[in-house]
């Protein structure tokens, strides 16, 4: 999956197919698509009803003949045909006409670290179905590091954590390559599920499918730390009666529920640091860890990592779009690799 910057500069469009959101960067136009990776389909006719934000609003609110599909899971395309249809509608007819005018359309796409050949092939086939003659695959960790401004081409260590919806990827980079990396099947969705299970088991309360994020926003003042209000009022549906009900939830118990899935993330972080050469660990102790991805905004997560590792932890300025912006920087030619040409003997 190694690809040169020269090959990427020839690409016309970059796509980041995430489990939560799909983003498209067009060379010369910038970020043109940033929508949820959701599509609503009429199962009677097979027609596409809605994509993106509108389809996400339909989740849990549709009649039996409408199916809300998510063609991407964990950064991997699991339904190629649906992903192609979703991308076509997200791009729009005008933009697709502009791309079709390219004589040999080239595309670049992010894929998770250590993605298996089937996952890589699914990403390629998705973009080939949209008219791309050639598809270049870039590791999400490299793209995200470039997108958030890390000096990945320098001979110093930089550490990045990509907190996605379904997975968390952690890596140490040096000289433009990955030195050590790990991918953990824990992300924002696992944290959402932990909160849902806690409320169901301890308060017999069911939340609507889109109410977990507002719950985390309610915890924003304290998040995973000990500061803030001790109780939070949550609205939902009673498990037994099915009627609407409000309960006062102990935020400390919610914090504990969120801590459980994050234990695997801390273990993966420790493994990467243990496997790194000592010189690189010394660099990381000074430069710290950069957090990107939508789940990086979970309140208190940066402080939790800071306490567990003892190194500085920063959140990127625009953590949710770092990967696609990094791809865009490589397409635009703004990334200059370190010249490692062999020395001439005298």
């Amino acid at each position: 999956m190694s690809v040169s910057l020269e090959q990427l500069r020839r690409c016309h469009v970059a796509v980041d197919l995430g489990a939560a959101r799909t983003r498209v960067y067009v060379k010369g136009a910038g970020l043109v698509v940033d929508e949820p990776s959701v599509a609503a389909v009429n199962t009677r006719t097979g027609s596409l009803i809605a994509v993106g934000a509108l389809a996400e609003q339909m989740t849990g609110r549709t009649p039996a003949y409408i199916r809300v599909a998510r063609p991407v899971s964990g950064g991997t395309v699991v339904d190629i045909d649906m992903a192609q249809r979703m991308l076509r509608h997200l791009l729009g007819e005008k933009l697709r006409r502009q791309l079709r005018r390219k004589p040999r359309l080239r595309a670049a796409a992010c894929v998770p670290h250590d993605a298996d050949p089937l996952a890589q092939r699914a990403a390629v086939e998705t973009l080939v179905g949209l008219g791309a003659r050639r598809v270049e695959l870039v590791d999400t960790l490299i793209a995200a590091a470039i997108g958030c401004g890390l000096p990945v081409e320098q001979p110093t260590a930089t550490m990045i954590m990509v907190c996605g919806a379904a997975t968390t990827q952690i890596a140490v980079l040096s000289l433009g390559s990955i030195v050590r990396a790990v991918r953990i099947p824990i992300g924002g969705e696992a944290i959402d599920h932990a909160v849902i299970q806690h409320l169901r088991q301890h308060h017999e309360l069911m939340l609507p499918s889109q109410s977990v994020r507002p719950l985390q926003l309610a915890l924003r003042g304290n998040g995973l730390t000990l500061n803030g209000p001790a109780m939070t009022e949550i609205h939902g549906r009673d498990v037994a009666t099915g009627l609407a009900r409000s309960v006062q939830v102990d935020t400390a118990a919610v914090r504990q529920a969120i801590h459980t899935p994050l234990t695997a993330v801390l273990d993966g972080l420790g493994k990467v640091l243990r496997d790194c050469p000592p010189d690189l660990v010394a660099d990381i102790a000074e430069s710290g860890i950069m957090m990107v991805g939508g789940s990086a905004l979970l309140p208190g997560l940066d402080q939790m990592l800071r306490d567990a590792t003892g190194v500085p932890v920063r959140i990127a300025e625009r953590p949710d779009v770092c990967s696609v912006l990094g791809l865009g920087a490589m397409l635009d030619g703004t990334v200059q690799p370190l010249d490692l040409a062999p020395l001439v003997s005298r």
Side-chain angles (χ1 to χ4, degrees):
M1 198 172 59
S2 60
V3 58
S4 69
L5 285 174
E6 186 60 34
Q7 291 173 316
L8 287 171
R9 289 192 186 103
R10 298 173 184 171
C11 293
H12 307 96
V13 60
V15 179
D16 179 15
L17 280 169
R21 299 185 74 87
T22 293
R23 299 176 176 94
V24 180
Y25 185 100
V26 175
K27 194 173 186 177
L31 186 63
V32 296
V33 174
D34 185 1
E35 293 280 344
S37 304
V38 189
V41 184
N42 186 328
T43 57
R44 294 174 180 171
T45 63
S47 60
L48 206 61
I49 296 175
V51 295
L54 180 57
E56 188 176 50
Q57 292 174 6
M58 294 182 180
T59 305
R61 297 181 170 91
T62 61
Y65 67 91
I66 295 179
R67 179 173 66 94
V68 177
R70 293 182 177 270
V72 185
S73 176
T76 301
V77 178
V78 294
D79 188 338
I80 296 175
D81 178 64
M82 186 60 65
Q84 290 175 349
R85 296 173 68 186
M86 179 186 72
L87 270 174
R88 287 193 194 102
H89 284 78
L90 288 177
L91 287 172
E93 182 62 31
K94 181 179 179 181
L95 185 55
R96 279 188 287 134
R97 275 202 308 268
Q98 293 176 1
L99 294 176
R100 280 199 297 264
R101 291 175 189 155
K102 307 290 184 184
R104 288 188 60 84
L105 180 64
R106 289 174 173 244
C110 287
V111 291
H113 178 69
D114 279 347
D116 58 71
L118 286 178
Q120 296 181 30
R121 183 177 177 181
V124 171
E125 289 188 4
T126 299
L127 297 183
V128 168
L130 293 175
R133 299 294 184 90
R134 184 183 176 95
V135 179
E136 309 290 354
L137 300 180
V138 181
D139 197 304
T140 301
L141 291 164
I142 298 289
I146 293 174
C148 64
L150 291 178
V152 294
E153 74 282 357
Q154 298 300 319
T156 57
T158 56
M159 191 168 193
I160 188 167
M161 175 183 288
V162 181
C163 306
T167 61
T168 298
Q169 302 174 68
I170 307 169
V172 174
L173 311 174
S174 181
L175 290 173
S177 300
I178 296 174
V179 180
R180 294 288 185 274
V182 66
R183 181 159 61 123
I184 307 157
I186 298 292
E189 293 175 355
I191 296 171
D192 292 348
H193 183 70
V195 176
I196 290 172
Q197 290 298 107
H198 169 78
L199 294 175
R200 187 183 182 96
Q201 293 174 2
H202 295 86
H203 299 278
E204 297 184 349
L205 191 74
M206 291 180 62
L207 289 177
S209 57
Q210 299 181 28
S211 291
V212 179
R213 291 299 171 185
L215 173 62
Q216 292 185 7
L217 292 175
L219 296 176
R220 182 171 293 280
N222 51 340
L224 303 179
T225 64
L226 301 178
N227 302 320
M231 305 296 290
T232 302
E233 186 176 11
I234 304 298
H235 305 280
R237 189 180 72 180
D238 190 277
V239 172
T241 64
L243 300 177
R245 185 163 65 92
S246 299
V247 297
Q248 291 289 331
V249 178
D250 183 7
T251 53
V254 175
R255 283 197 300 271
Q256 186 60 40
I258 293 174
H259 267 285
T260 303
L262 290 178
T263 303
V265 176
L266 293 176
D267 291 343
L269 184 61
K271 181 179 185 301
V272 171
L273 289 173
R274 287 193 300 272
D275 293 344
C276 273
D279 291 342
L280 296 184
V281 175
D283 290 342
I284 295 168
E286 183 177 343
S287 61
I289 303 170
M290 178 66 77
M291 294 177 61
V292 302
S295 299
L297 297 174
L298 180 66
L301 179 57
D302 55 339
Q303 184 61 46
M304 177 182 174
L305 296 176
R306 197 175 293 116
D307 295 340
T309 60
V311 301
V313 178
R314 297 173 293 152
I315 301 176
E317 185 177 350
R318 299 179 64 188
D320 51 340
V321 295
C322 283
S323 296
V324 72
L325 291 182
L327 277 180
M330 288 186 272
L331 263 62
D332 293 335
T334 59
V335 181
Q336 298 296 329
L338 187 67
D339 188 7
L340 294 178
L343 299 176
V344 179
S345 58
R346 296 180 179 178

